[in-house]
Amino acid sequence: PQPLFYYAGQAGRLTQDRDRQGGNPFASALVEVLKIHPLTLEDFGGRMAAANAKYSNGWHQLQKPRKLPDPKWRLDEEEQKRVALVLINADYSKSAGVYSLPGARFDAKRIPAALSEAGFEVTLVYDRTTEEARRMIAEFAARSETADASLIYVGGHGIQYKRTVFWMMGDYPEQDAKWLGTHAISLDEIGKAGRARAANLVLYASCRDDPFSP
């Protein structure tokens, strides 16, 4: 099935790096919702929206899929094989004009832990180069083909440029769109790594503003 995209915020909007829990409000929402049982696809979207708004004090407004392949399909069936890929960049000290993200660093610990507790086999890609991240994404894609469900979480700096959402790597050279091909990965490319049989979720916690257009 096609990937189901869940965005922490709306197009053109920024997202918060830290809430009172210590990380991104969208991450706080995920940690909370994964503990709920039973958890159907329909419940997941509604509960994520409510918790995302709660932890961000209304700043985050979740964008979720309009249609679900099977709203009553459960994400928490014990007999399922579930795999998760956590993509987080927090160290942007090598990037021009971009600050590092302590909240994302915190999420790199708690998101894999929460997913593991929920029964997912987790792969963490943390502060990697573009080449390393792409290699690990490809490896996950092959692994997800044998799973019932896949979940990909994306955290760190991000933008939306000409209607395409990008995850920014920690060494983005300068504030110019010409580096997107080599120092960022589009969410469309990331979403293609979800190849599980029943459901493929992509959770994007990052900003969707456009710093490159005049």
Side-chain angles (χ1 to χ4, degrees):
Q2 294 295 312
L4 302 171
F5 291 94
Y6 298 79
Y7 299 89
Q10 302 291 311
R13 295 291 302 273
L14 299 172
T15 55
Q16 298 174 358
D17 179 50
R18 302 186 82 178
D19 60 13
R20 293 183 178 181
Q21 309 300 312
N24 189 296
F26 188 65
S28 297
L30 181 60
V31 171
E32 175 182 303
V33 172
L34 286 173
K35 296 177 182 178
I36 297 171
H37 304 287
L39 184 61
T40 64
L41 278 179
E42 185 175 46
D43 289 338
F44 179 81
R47 291 181 180 275
M48 280 294 296
N52 186 45
K54 176 183 70 175
Y55 285 112
S56 66
N57 292 318
W59 177 259
H60 288 189
Q61 296 297 320
L62 185 78
Q63 181 177 332
K64 60 181 180 177
R66 294 182 179 179
K67 293 184 179 180
L68 300 172
D70 182 359
K72 300 303 180 183
W73 190 83
R74 285 183 57 176
L75 278 167
D76 60 338
E77 291 285 0
E78 291 186 2
E79 63 271 18
Q80 294 171 356
K81 179 179 180 181
R82 299 187 292 276
V83 295
L85 177 66
V86 179
L87 304 171
I88 293 180
N89 289 321
D91 182 5
Y92 286 87
S93 59
K94 297 179 181 179
S95 183
V98 179
Y99 53 89
S100 293
L101 300 170
R105 183 169 61 247
F106 177 65
D107 294 336
K109 296 179 181 179
R110 66 171 175 163
I111 291 297
L115 287 165
S116 295
E117 180 67 23
F120 286 82
E121 299 174 13
V122 182
T123 298
L124 173 63
V125 181
Y126 178 55
D127 281 339
R128 298 283 188 145
T129 66
T130 311
E131 181 179 351
E132 290 171 337
R134 280 203 164 104
R135 175 180 55 79
M136 297 178 76
I137 290 170
E139 291 172 355
F140 177 81
R143 188 160 58 256
S144 73
E145 291 180 349
T146 64
D148 296 294
S150 76
L151 185 152
I152 302 174
Y153 177 93
V154 183
H157 280 299
I159 67 162
Q160 182 165 323
Y161 180 71
K162 294 183 177 180
R163 297 187 178 182
T164 299
V165 176
F166 290 90
W167 178 51
M168 313 298 287
M169 310 312 291
D171 59 350
Y172 203 87
E174 59 180 314
Q175 292 291 302
D176 195 307
K178 69 181 181 181
W179 301 106
L180 287 172
T182 54
H183 292 76
I185 304 176
S186 75
L187 199 62
D188 291 336
E189 178 182 342
I190 291 170
K192 292 177 182 177
R195 303 177 184 176
R197 292 182 287 262
N200 297 288
L201 283 64
V202 182
L203 279 61
Y204 179 79
S206 305
C207 299
R208 296 174 66 189
D209 63 321
D210 180 359
F212 300 143
S213 297

